[in-house]
Amino acid sequence: MSNLESILKDFYDCLDIPIQFVNEKFIPIYKMGFSKDIDLVLEKTNIYNNLKESTISSINLTYFENIHFIVTPLTDTRFNGYFIVGPFKSKYICSELNIPFKP
């Protein structure tokens, strides 16, 4: 298991929030905590098109008034890309989607 995989696994095991690492072109490299519901939300938000390759600091993105993501860039000698945390809900509005609730 690579260092990145280990970081994602530890994060997910501690917080139970989906997380992924995407390269600088927003192609997913590693994912933890993803399901069909999570993949569907990612597809509907079109999050990858809302990110810019020049993002140099963490940003928070909100979709549909209650679905959140946190994007944090990683620049390293071995890896360049972004950690994308989420989706997660901050308000409990429906239980249809299996998305973590984190007030």
Side-chain angles (χ1 to χ4, degrees):
M1 180 181 294
S2 75
N3 288 341
L4 271 171
E5 282 180 293
S6 180
I7 290 168
L8 294 180
K9 182 178 178 344
D10 288 348
F11 180 92
Y12 181 73
D13 287 347
C14 289
L15 298 175
D16 197 31
I17 298 176
I19 184 168
Q20 64 179 311
F21 181 78
V22 298
N23 68 13
E24 61 276 354
K25 300 293 182 189
F26 306 111
I27 297 170
I29 305 298
Y30 300 114
K31 292 181 173 185
M32 291 300 271
F34 279 73
S35 65
K36 288 181 183 180
D37 284 345
I38 302 297
D39 287 334
L40 182 64
V41 169
L42 277 176
E43 188 177 305
K44 287 187 177 186
T45 60
N46 211 8
I47 187 171
Y48 302 125
N49 291 336
N50 293 330
L51 298 174
K52 294 184 170 60
E53 291 180 33
S54 59
T55 300
I56 58 172
S57 62
S58 293
I59 59 173
N60 299 319
L61 299 171
T62 301
Y63 298 90
F64 315 119
E65 298 181 32
N66 188 41
I67 305 297
H68 307 280
F69 294 87
I70 300 169
V71 180
T72 302
L74 173 67
T75 53
D76 188 29
T77 55
R78 295 170 291 160
F79 301 104
N80 285 318
Y82 303 88
F83 289 109
I84 300 178
V85 177
F88 59 93
K89 300 181 283 191
S90 61
K91 297 177 190 166
Y92 190 80
I93 56 171
C94 73
S95 60
E96 289 178 18
L97 292 176
N98 189 20
I99 298 174
F101 170 61
K102 302 295 177 183

